[in-house]
mmCIF file of all heavy atoms in Angstrom:
data_model
loop_
_atom_site.group_PDB
_atom_site.id
_atom_site.type_symbol
_atom_site.label_atom_id
_atom_site.label_comp_id
_atom_site.label_asym_id
_atom_site.label_seq_id
_atom_site.Cartn_x
_atom_site.Cartn_y
_atom_site.Cartn_z
ATOM 1 N N ILE A 414 -46.687 51.254 -23.472
ATOM 2 C CA ILE A 414 -47.832 51.001 -24.374
ATOM 3 C C ILE A 414 -47.556 49.750 -25.208
ATOM 4 O O ILE A 414 -46.442 49.564 -25.712
ATOM 5 C CB ILE A 414 -48.158 52.264 -25.213
ATOM 6 C CG1 ILE A 414 -49.444 52.031 -26.027
ATOM 7 C CG2 ILE A 414 -47.018 52.658 -26.124
ATOM 8 C CD1 ILE A 414 -50.096 53.316 -26.511
ATOM 9 N N VAL A 415 -48.568 48.942 -25.340
ATOM 10 C CA VAL A 415 -48.464 47.757 -26.187
ATOM 11 C C VAL A 415 -49.480 47.947 -27.341
ATOM 12 O O VAL A 415 -50.670 48.220 -27.063
ATOM 13 C CB VAL A 415 -48.865 46.477 -25.396
ATOM 14 C CG1 VAL A 415 -48.864 45.265 -26.319
ATOM 15 C CG2 VAL A 415 -47.853 46.254 -24.264
ATOM 16 N N PHE A 416 -49.006 47.855 -28.540
ATOM 17 C CA PHE A 416 -49.889 48.080 -29.695
ATOM 18 C C PHE A 416 -50.430 46.806 -30.296
ATOM 19 O O PHE A 416 -49.740 45.813 -30.408
ATOM 20 C CB PHE A 416 -49.124 48.847 -30.798
ATOM 21 C CG PHE A 416 -49.000 50.300 -30.505
ATOM 22 C CD1 PHE A 416 -47.765 50.842 -30.160
ATOM 23 C CD2 PHE A 416 -50.115 51.121 -30.521
ATOM 24 C CE1 PHE A 416 -47.666 52.177 -29.853
ATOM 25 C CE2 PHE A 416 -50.008 52.476 -30.235
ATOM 26 C CZ PHE A 416 -48.762 52.997 -29.884
ATOM 27 N N CYS A 417 -51.675 46.900 -30.606
ATOM 28 C CA CYS A 417 -52.355 45.823 -31.276
ATOM 29 C C CYS A 417 -52.957 46.497 -32.530
ATOM 30 O O CYS A 417 -54.005 47.125 -32.456
ATOM 31 C CB CYS A 417 -53.431 45.256 -30.382
ATOM 32 S SG CYS A 417 -54.125 43.749 -30.926
ATOM 33 N N ALA A 418 -52.225 46.426 -33.652
ATOM 34 C CA ALA A 418 -52.639 47.200 -34.817
ATOM 35 C C ALA A 418 -53.596 46.384 -35.666
ATOM 36 O O ALA A 418 -53.676 45.166 -35.568
ATOM 37 C CB ALA A 418 -51.413 47.552 -35.635
ATOM 38 N N SER A 419 -54.267 47.098 -36.544
ATOM 39 C CA SER A 419 -55.143 46.442 -37.507
ATOM 40 C C SER A 419 -54.313 45.442 -38.339
ATOM 41 O O SER A 419 -53.204 45.749 -38.782
ATOM 42 C CB SER A 419 -55.752 47.509 -38.413
ATOM 43 O OG SER A 419 -56.328 46.873 -39.535
ATOM 44 N N ARG A 420 -54.865 44.265 -38.493
ATOM 45 C CA ARG A 420 -54.154 43.196 -39.225
ATOM 46 C C ARG A 420 -53.684 43.666 -40.606
ATOM 47 O O ARG A 420 -52.593 43.303 -41.066
ATOM 48 C CB ARG A 420 -55.036 41.988 -39.354
ATOM 49 C CG ARG A 420 -54.406 40.763 -40.000
ATOM 50 C CD ARG A 420 -55.486 39.862 -40.524
ATOM 51 N NE ARG A 420 -56.334 39.371 -39.454
ATOM 52 C CZ ARG A 420 -56.144 38.231 -38.792
ATOM 53 N NH1 ARG A 420 -55.124 37.480 -39.098
ATOM 54 N NH2 ARG A 420 -56.973 37.837 -37.873
ATOM 55 N N ASN A 421 -54.516 44.460 -41.264
ATOM 56 C CA ASN A 421 -54.161 44.921 -42.605
ATOM 57 C C ASN A 421 -53.256 46.147 -42.668
ATOM 58 O O ASN A 421 -53.044 46.689 -43.736
ATOM 59 C CB ASN A 421 -55.466 45.185 -43.389
ATOM 60 C CG ASN A 421 -56.272 43.914 -43.522
ATOM 61 O OD1 ASN A 421 -55.732 42.832 -43.741
ATOM 62 N ND2 ASN A 421 -57.571 44.039 -43.334
ATOM 63 N N ALA A 422 -52.842 46.562 -41.514
ATOM 64 C CA ALA A 422 -51.887 47.698 -41.498
ATOM 65 C C ALA A 422 -50.785 47.372 -40.532
ATOM 66 O O ALA A 422 -50.191 48.248 -39.908
ATOM 67 C CB ALA A 422 -52.612 48.991 -41.104
ATOM 68 N N LEU A 423 -50.510 46.098 -40.371
ATOM 69 C CA LEU A 423 -49.595 45.609 -39.318
ATOM 70 C C LEU A 423 -48.169 46.124 -39.524
ATOM 71 O O LEU A 423 -47.517 46.631 -38.591
ATOM 72 C CB LEU A 423 -49.615 44.108 -39.281
ATOM 73 C CG LEU A 423 -48.920 43.496 -38.037
ATOM 74 C CD1 LEU A 423 -49.704 43.819 -36.786
ATOM 75 C CD2 LEU A 423 -48.747 42.010 -38.211
ATOM 76 N N LYS A 424 -47.699 45.945 -40.756
ATOM 77 C CA LYS A 424 -46.283 46.264 -41.015
ATOM 78 C C LYS A 424 -45.983 47.720 -40.774
ATOM 79 O O LYS A 424 -45.030 48.093 -40.046
ATOM 80 C CB LYS A 424 -45.928 45.875 -42.478
ATOM 81 C CG LYS A 424 -45.205 44.549 -42.544
ATOM 82 C CD LYS A 424 -45.015 44.006 -43.936
ATOM 83 C CE LYS A 424 -44.416 44.978 -44.945
ATOM 84 N NZ LYS A 424 -44.453 44.391 -46.311
ATOM 85 N N CYS A 425 -46.814 48.571 -41.368
ATOM 86 C CA CYS A 425 -46.515 50.016 -41.242
ATOM 87 C C CYS A 425 -46.751 50.487 -39.806
ATOM 88 O O CYS A 425 -45.999 51.313 -39.279
ATOM 89 C CB CYS A 425 -47.325 50.814 -42.252
ATOM 90 S SG CYS A 425 -49.103 50.741 -42.048
ATOM 91 N N SER A 426 -47.784 49.923 -39.141
ATOM 92 C CA SER A 426 -48.078 50.339 -37.764
ATOM 93 C C SER A 426 -46.890 49.947 -36.869
ATOM 94 O O SER A 426 -46.431 50.743 -36.031
ATOM 95 C CB SER A 426 -49.349 49.667 -37.262
ATOM 96 O OG SER A 426 -50.423 49.975 -38.105
ATOM 97 N N ASN A 427 -46.436 48.692 -36.998
ATOM 98 C CA ASN A 427 -45.353 48.232 -36.136
ATOM 99 C C ASN A 427 -44.045 48.931 -36.452
ATOM 100 O O ASN A 427 -43.255 49.184 -35.546
ATOM 101 C CB ASN A 427 -45.192 46.701 -36.310
ATOM 102 C CG ASN A 427 -46.340 45.954 -35.607
ATOM 103 O OD1 ASN A 427 -47.182 46.577 -34.952
ATOM 104 N ND2 ASN A 427 -46.366 44.645 -35.736
ATOM 105 N N GLU A 428 -43.882 49.310 -37.718
ATOM 106 C CA GLU A 428 -42.690 50.067 -38.073
ATOM 107 C C GLU A 428 -42.698 51.433 -37.392
ATOM 108 O O GLU A 428 -41.696 51.899 -36.875
ATOM 109 C CB GLU A 428 -42.573 50.210 -39.610
ATOM 110 C CG GLU A 428 -41.373 50.951 -40.084
ATOM 111 C CD GLU A 428 -40.036 50.334 -39.693
ATOM 112 O OE1 GLU A 428 -40.000 49.204 -39.137
ATOM 113 O OE2 GLU A 428 -39.012 50.990 -39.900
#
Side-chain angles (χ1 to χ4, degrees):
Chain A
I414 187 161
V415 176
F416 282 108
C417 191
S419 165
R420 184 200 299 267
N421 298 319
L423 191 69
K424 259 171 51 188
C425 62
S426 303
N427 287 355
E428 181 59 8

